[in-house]
Amino acid sequence: MNFILDYYNYWIVVFLMMTGFYIVISANNLVKKIVGLNVFQTSVFMLYISMGKVSGGTAPILVEGVTLYSNPLPHVLILTAIVVGVATTAVGLSLIVRIKRAYGTVEENEFKNQDDAI
Amino acid sequence: MLEQHLAVLPIILPLIAAPIVLILGRSILSWGFATFISGWACLVSWQLLTATLSGGVISYAVGGWPPPWGIEMRVDTANAFVLLAVSFISTLVLLFSKESIKKEIDESQHTLFYTAYLLCLAGLSGILITGDAFNLFVFLEISSLATYTLVSLARDRQCLTAAFRYLVMGTIGATFILIGVGMLYMKTGTLNMLDLAERIHAYDSSRTINTGLAFIMVGVGIKLALFPLHAWLPAAYTHAPSAVTAFLASTATKVAVYVMIRFIFTIFGAEHVFENMGMDLILMVLAVVAIFKCSYMAAVQSNVKTVLAYSSLAQIGYMILGVSLVSVTGLMASMIHIFNHALMKGALFMAVGAVFYRLGSVDIKAFRGLGKQMPLTMAAFTISGLSIIGVPLTVGFISKWYLVTAALEQNHWVIAALVLAGSLLAIVYIGRVIEAAYFQEPENGQANVKEVPWTMLLPMWVLVIANIYFGVDTSLTTEAAKNASEILFQNSTEISALVDSLHGPASQMINEANVLSVEVAQ
Amino acid sequence: MGEFIDLVLLAMLALTALRIIFLKDLFAVVMLFGIYSFLSALIFVNLDAVDVAFTEASVGAGISTVLMLGTLALTGRKEKENTHSSILPLLVVCITGAALIYGTLDMPPFGHPDNPVHEHVAPRYIEESPKEIGLPNMVTSVLASYRGFDTLGETVVVFAAAIGVLALLGTGRKEDDEAPESGLKSHHVLHVVAKIIIPLTILFALYVQFHGDFGPGGGFQAGVIAAAAFILYTLVFGLSKSMDVIGPKFLQFMASFGVLLYASVGLYSMYKGGQFLDYSKLAVDPVAGQHYGIIIIELGVGITVFAAMLSIFYAFSSQAERSNIQ
């Protein structure tokens, strides 16, 4: 029981990661692929933040009388990763808009036929 | 005053230049400034290589905070060598691109091209120089975003789907690397590469760390386009603008190979990765399959850029093969091939870009009769092509020589034979183009094609001459590659010594490890 | 109690993620993604990561959702039938998931204070940073000073994204007056409410920018909130009015300026004899130098993020205008 309490957090996060990953690789519509990519990345962030948490601690901002703080380093890493994620999303969505203009569709099976097979 | 900051200059020069180029706006100014910055970065990387060639290591603590609390830049022969290749190619391609992009990219986007190009250069330099695992991820994403932008600048609509596919696969790869680094961080509490190496080996064998290793390898494998994770590369190289392909083919995947080597040797330790986890066999098999399948695919394509793209995949196979041999000579062969391949492919893609500039097509039919009409370009293609095949007096021969020697050292006769067989396939795919150029008549309506402007010919021929020069006088490249390989193996041995010191008679082993680390630091 | 909240939120997340797989209406999918992002922000708060929660809510649930909706306006709401089989993706996902679960088996237990991550590097940040840097918010200390190079990289990533979107979608140049009037002309209530909310939002953004040293906040969040204010203005009053206020060319300049401001702090440190981005050299007292350095670089970050986000939004909405979608 203790084992489950120690690890349930990680397992559910792994489940979320895999859901996002599944959406990315199986979706036909490009916008849905990007949504899946974001779900995947957000779940990875949860993994990092889970490792920084200290039971009984509080947010890493200095406050009178508090001695136990959660770890600030994962927070810094994830702040960076979130911004990287949205940057990728923005570029990906712009590509989708251009693909729609050029091919008339954003469904992968439809425009794949129009491209040379390489 | 700048001397003490050498380690960080190759990153911050293009990083600061990129927004300046955006503000400058005018195409010719952007080009001139970008080329100047790239040239400066190349000079600095030359200084870094000469400083570290004899085994020295340069460590630079950004922000003044000592590692592991701050971010460390760490230059040794291994990354200085690759950095030189990257910045050298970058400068030449920038020269080439002045005319080349006029035919391939809309005028209004030229400034954005140079901005994205400088960002890509900054990102690649950052990946090479950094000594911090998370910092590597950040620079990886900078270079990747810039790359997706560069690929999508072409007029051909297929560049968009190629860029999108590259984006999705590349981001999955980067996220896998992030997961892997997270797992390592979870068990060690640090992100600095040397610190990680020390702390990982406090654990005998940890599931988390091994899973982290696996995820990092897969993520980097996507970035370096190792078979079977290579699906994004052929389309991206074929449909991107020629200057972009020339730059990327010579640099982006090679930097990823460097990352794999760095993680294997400096962080995890060769013994652990290869003996405990059997990665040498996996990598060897994948490499051989890559060499053969991709050389075969190269031989059947009609678009010459696609031929060269598949050829690049095969050459990456050779590099990974060298790594999988787990010997100083094998790793040396890989490192030297990283440098040599940049010279070869850079010249080849520039030659093809020149053909596109004049003819608007790179189908093999367009190459007919070009031997007479564009003699300098086709001569460049031929010499670089011979280099890929591995003809003596070219750099390609040097790489293949060391690879075969490394295989024979370990009595892998089959591997050595396979390497030579790969060259035979290269004869086929290079030979087709040469045959079309010299032995066939041009198609109707293709008369009077002139050579390309000198800004395109000059960088092409600098690379061709470098191909021959470094094939004849191999002292610089072999010395650098050998030192790099030795340092990497030394890192690995220190790690093994650390592991032993934790399990065996402590004091004597610790002394040995200390001696080794003192030697490296000098 | 904290664990219970955690569990409930995670369960809601799992349900949301599962629903996204099976929905064909992309508008609903994007909305569910917004919910997913917001729920994860709540989880971050529960896990003591307040800065991260702030950023995730504004960037993930805010900007990402807006951009996705903007894309959907141009590409259509419905997903068509998927013709390829899902066996291979399912297999890949199962193998990857199994590898991950295998990896979790000897992870340090969740929440224990003596886990490896809390030793060696982190204690210095927690114990020394209030003295070395003098800021209560340790995340800002680490982000802006100890790992300031990462943050410079992050700012450049935002800049690179803006470059990418500009290259792909154009600069959203000011159209001439023949362009169709956009904006929500007849919604007078919205006009009035927007006029009240927008200045308050900008004020809040400035507060977040400068208060990031003392509480959750900082350049990124501030830049995004300020951009959100202008996005609201664009939606209600129309793109051309918005471009009159801040034009695309000026935004490009602002984006470059932010990065250059950040980098020049580093260059000035080098000039003063320190390493790149060593703020202690910026003033006679090293702690004061740290404060100056952090304020200026956060400003650079905020400016670039604001300019980049707004440029990206302009690019998307001018595409929509060209397709005559109101």
Side-chain angles (χ1 to χ4, degrees):
Chain A
M1 188 57 203
N2 253 345
F3 184 76
I4 297 189
L5 269 177
D6 283 341
Y7 290 97
Y8 74 89
N9 206 303
Y10 299 141
W11 293 338
I12 303 187
V13 169
V14 168
F15 175 75
L16 293 171
M17 276 198 247
M18 288 303 105
T19 319
F21 189 41
Y22 178 74
I23 300 176
V24 180
I25 53 181
S26 70
N28 200 26
N29 183 297
L30 298 184
V31 180
K32 204 159 182 198
K33 267 191 197 293
I34 295 283
V35 173
L37 201 56
N38 273 334
V39 170
F40 183 32
Q41 287 180 314
T42 311
S43 319
V44 175
F45 304 157
M46 277 187 260
L47 182 70
Y48 266 78
I49 300 292
S50 310
M51 64 168 102
K53 165 81 179 164
V54 174
S55 298
T58 178
I61 300 176
L62 198 64
V63 171
E64 288 291 315
V66 176
T67 45
L68 193 60
Y69 295 103
S70 284
N71 195 332
L73 185 54
H75 301 181
V76 173
L77 305 179
I78 294 306
L79 270 173
T80 308
I82 291 178
V83 175
V84 167
V86 77
T88 312
T89 303
V91 176
L93 290 173
S94 325
L95 277 169
I96 294 180
V97 170
R98 283 288 301 275
I99 290 178
K100 172 77 179 179
R101 238 188 15 208
Y103 286 85
T105 173
V106 287
E107 304 281 333
E108 207 175 13
N109 49 9
E110 288 176 18
F111 65 67
K112 236 182 183 158
N113 301 339
Q114 300 182 40
D115 274 347
D116 305 332
I118 290 189
Chain B
M1 192 214 51
L2 279 178
E3 271 60 50
Q4 58 172 140
H5 302 292
L6 273 185
V8 85
L9 273 181
I11 308 175
I12 60 177
L13 281 172
L15 207 65
I16 296 179
I20 296 180
V21 164
L22 186 66
I23 296 180
L24 281 177
R26 307 265 299 290
S27 177
I28 187 94
L29 268 176
S30 316
W31 171 77
F33 187 60
T35 315
F36 166 67
I37 291 287
S38 181
W40 190 355
C42 185
L43 260 149
V44 174
S45 49
W46 172 254
Q47 284 176 288
L48 282 170
L49 182 61
T50 42
T52 56
L53 201 50
S54 38
V57 174
I58 299 180
S59 168
Y60 185 93
V62 181
W65 303 108
W69 296 279
I71 294 177
E72 182 192 14
M73 300 286 114
R74 207 176 159 77
V75 184
D76 59 18
T77 318
N79 48 8
F81 190 39
V82 184
L83 184 64
L84 180 65
V86 168
S87 49
F88 183 53
I89 298 281
S90 155
T91 317
L92 292 174
V93 172
L94 271 172
L95 257 166
F96 180 83
S97 65
K98 177 170 177 289
E99 286 296 318
S100 171
I101 63 175
K102 285 191 185 159
K103 294 275 173 86
E104 299 193 47
I105 303 180
D106 281 333
E107 176 82 42
S108 57
Q109 300 191 306
H110 285 187
T111 310
L112 291 170
F113 168 79
Y114 291 116
T115 314
Y117 189 100
L118 285 169
L119 287 172
C120 192
L121 177 63
L124 291 173
S125 309
I127 297 173
L128 290 171
I129 297 181
T130 189
D132 181 286
F134 190 78
N135 201 225
L136 187 136
F137 170 76
V138 175
F139 279 109
L140 186 64
E141 284 301 272
I142 295 179
S143 70
S144 300
L145 276 174
T147 308
Y148 310 144
T149 308
L150 287 169
V151 169
S152 68
L153 283 173
R155 290 202 181 114
D156 172 9
R157 72 176 183 175
Q158 295 187 58
C159 74
L160 299 169
T161 48
F164 188 80
R165 179 176 231 188
Y166 187 11
L167 185 143
V168 172
M169 286 189 82
T171 311
I172 293 177
T175 312
F176 273 28
I177 295 177
L178 189 62
I179 295 176
V181 170
M183 289 185 160
L184 295 183
Y185 173 66
M186 205 187 256
K187 292 295 263 183
T188 58
T190 179
L191 292 165
N192 180 282
M193 286 183 187
L194 284 189
D195 212 16
L196 273 173
E198 252 184 69
R199 288 168 172 261
I200 285 180
H201 296 90
Y203 296 98
D204 213 344
S205 160
S206 159
R207 292 192 185 127
T208 310
I209 293 193
N210 290 342
T211 314
L213 169 65
F215 271 89
I216 293 178
M217 288 294 120
V218 173
V220 177
I222 296 180
K223 289 287 181 181
L224 67 91
L226 181 62
F227 184 89
L229 302 163
H230 64 288
W232 57 267
L233 193 142
Y237 281 16
T238 308
H239 299 295
S242 307
V244 172
T245 315
F247 181 48
L248 290 179
S250 321
T251 56
T253 41
K254 315 301 162 297
V255 170
V257 174
Y258 159 80
V259 173
M260 180 178 264
I261 292 178
R262 183 60 83 188
F263 268 99
I264 291 180
F265 287 92
T266 310
I267 300 184
F268 288 100
E271 194 186 295
H272 177 70
V273 174
F274 292 121
E275 284 165 40
N276 301 349
M277 298 211 23
M279 286 227 65
D280 54 343
L281 196 58
I282 301 176
L283 285 177
M284 199 182 282
V285 169
L286 290 176
V288 171
V289 175
I291 295 173
F292 280 92
K293 177 151 201 296
C294 299
S295 298
Y296 168 74
M297 292 296 285
V300 300
Q301 298 298 323
S302 58
N303 180 318
V304 177
K305 269 172 106 170
T306 320
V307 170
L308 293 178
Y310 275 107
S311 165
S312 296
L313 287 172
Q315 301 301 313
I316 291 168
Y318 286 117
M319 288 175 219
I320 299 295
L321 187 60
V323 172
S324 72
L325 289 171
V326 199
S327 66
V328 176
T329 324
L331 191 57
M332 180 185 164
S334 291
M335 299 278 337
I336 217 177
H337 199 43
I338 288 179
F339 187 82
N340 292 343
H341 179 250
L343 299 177
M344 296 187 254
K345 269 294 154 40
L348 279 170
F349 273 112
M350 281 191 199
V352 173
V355 172
F356 188 86
Y357 183 79
R358 283 297 181 212
L359 292 170
S361 157
V362 281
D363 194 279
I364 198 157
K365 296 198 203 86
F367 276 75
R368 289 186 186 157
L370 279 186
K372 289 202 201 76
Q373 297 177 329
M374 295 175 76
L376 287 170
T377 307
M378 288 319 296
F381 187 95
T382 310
I383 298 179
S384 317
L386 291 175
S387 200
I388 291 260
I389 294 172
V391 166
L393 288 188
T394 62
V395 284
F397 175 70
I398 304 293
S399 309
K400 294 249 164 71
W401 171 265
Y402 281 109
L403 199 52
V404 170
T405 314
L408 291 177
E409 262 178 19
Q410 302 187 356
N411 294 324
H412 283 303
W413 301 98
V414 182
I415 300 287
L418 288 173
V419 170
L420 296 173
S423 291
L424 289 176
L425 278 172
I427 296 181
V428 176
Y429 63 71
I430 296 287
R432 281 172 74 214
V433 181
I434 297 184
E435 187 205 353
Y438 289 104
F439 298 110
Q440 291 182 357
E441 287 307 312
E443 302 223 304
N444 299 340
Q446 214 177 274
N448 288 335
V449 171
K450 289 184 304 172
E451 262 300 353
V452 285
W454 71 271
T455 48
M456 290 171 76
L457 279 177
L458 178 65
M460 203 192 304
W461 273 92
V462 167
L463 282 178
V464 170
I465 293 174
N467 253 297
I468 302 180
Y469 176 75
F470 287 113
V472 172
D473 174 13
T474 62
S475 51
L476 174 68
T477 48
T478 44
E479 195 189 340
K482 191 151 194 293
N483 284 350
S485 176
E486 281 172 359
I487 287 184
L488 288 165
F489 267 95
Q490 210 164 29
N491 286 348
S492 229
T493 325
E494 277 170 38
I495 292 175
S496 306
L498 256 169
V499 174
D500 290 339
S501 79
L502 292 168
H503 300 297
S507 46
Q508 195 192 13
M509 294 291 188
I510 294 181
N511 279 337
E512 275 174 32
N514 279 336
V515 167
L516 279 169
S517 58
V518 163
E519 274 174 32
V520 169
Q522 277 166 355
Chain C
M1 188 57 192
E3 282 80 25
F4 181 65
I5 299 179
D6 202 23
L7 205 54
V8 168
L9 286 172
L10 284 172
M12 287 170 77
L13 275 174
L15 284 171
T16 316
L18 278 172
R19 197 76 193 95
I20 294 181
I21 300 181
F22 297 109
L23 271 180
K24 291 265 172 256
D25 180 355
L26 292 171
F27 183 74
V29 165
V30 172
M31 285 294 107
L32 280 176
F33 169 70
I35 293 175
Y36 186 91
S37 180
F38 190 64
L39 284 171
S40 38
L42 291 177
I43 290 192
F44 291 149
V45 173
N46 199 26
L47 293 174
D48 297 339
V50 287
D51 264 285
V52 181
F54 201 159
T55 313
E56 174 65 35
S58 46
V59 164
I63 296 285
S64 290
T65 315
V66 166
L67 292 178
M68 287 179 196
L69 288 175
T71 312
L72 280 185
L74 294 160
T75 61
R77 248 181 97 139
K78 280 248 166 265
E79 184 189 3
K80 308 229 180 93
E81 268 314 304
N82 199 342
T83 49
H84 25 104
S85 93
S86 28
I87 306 225
L88 186 58
L90 211 50
L91 198 62
V92 171
V93 166
C94 286
I95 297 178
T96 318
L100 278 170
I101 301 271
Y102 173 78
T104 61
L105 290 176
D106 63 0
M107 273 185 186
F110 173 58
H112 285 202
D114 39 325
N115 285 348
V117 282
H118 304 304
E119 288 156 28
H120 182 44
V121 177
R124 177 177 177 165
Y125 295 150
I126 297 180
E127 280 144 36
E128 304 296 321
S129 77
K131 301 182 212 110
E132 286 183 317
I133 302 189
L135 294 180
N137 188 348
M138 298 169 203
V139 174
T140 304
S141 307
V142 180
L143 184 80
S145 182
Y146 292 104
R147 293 192 71 96
F149 201 39
D150 263 350
T151 310
L152 176 59
E154 188 182 348
T155 316
V156 172
V157 168
V158 173
F159 179 72
I163 297 289
V165 175
L166 286 176
L168 284 162
L169 295 183
T171 53
R173 214 158 301 152
K174 264 167 74 169
E175 306 285 317
D176 21 32
D177 293 305
E178 291 131 43
E181 284 284 307
S182 62
L184 302 163
K185 280 274 151 284
S186 51
H187 297 244
H188 296 293
V189 175
L190 272 175
H191 278 218
V192 173
V193 173
K195 283 187 190 169
I196 299 175
I197 290 186
I198 289 174
L200 290 175
T201 313
I202 298 181
L203 196 60
F204 183 57
L206 285 172
Y207 168 76
V208 169
Q209 169 80 50
F210 293 108
H211 195 71
D213 299 349
F214 303 93
F220 291 100
Q221 297 92 328
V224 170
I225 294 173
F230 277 86
I231 291 176
L232 182 59
Y233 184 76
T234 311
L235 288 171
V236 175
F237 293 97
L239 187 60
S240 43
K241 283 251 176 64
S242 195
M243 285 197 184
D244 283 341
V245 177
I246 293 194
K249 274 275 171 230
F250 183 64
L251 281 176
Q252 282 180 40
F253 176 73
M254 273 182 90
S256 312
F257 177 70
V259 177
L260 288 172
L261 186 62
Y262 197 136
S264 43
V265 172
L267 291 177
Y268 188 67
S269 310
M270 281 164 72
Y271 172 69
K272 282 284 181 183
Q275 306 282 64
F276 185 65
L277 290 179
D278 185 356
Y279 307 142
S280 340
K281 297 282 185 289
L282 294 176
V284 178
D285 170 27
V287 179
Q290 292 287 337
H291 287 186
Y292 291 146
I294 292 181
I295 281 235
I296 299 178
I297 62 123
E298 288 275 14
L299 198 60
V301 170
I303 293 174
T304 299
V305 170
F306 165 71
M309 292 299 158
L310 199 53
S311 303
I312 294 176
F313 180 73
Y314 275 179
F316 272 87
S317 58
S318 63
Q319 289 287 311
E321 300 232 330
R322 271 179 225 154
S323 322
N324 261 337
I325 307 228
Q326 297 276 347

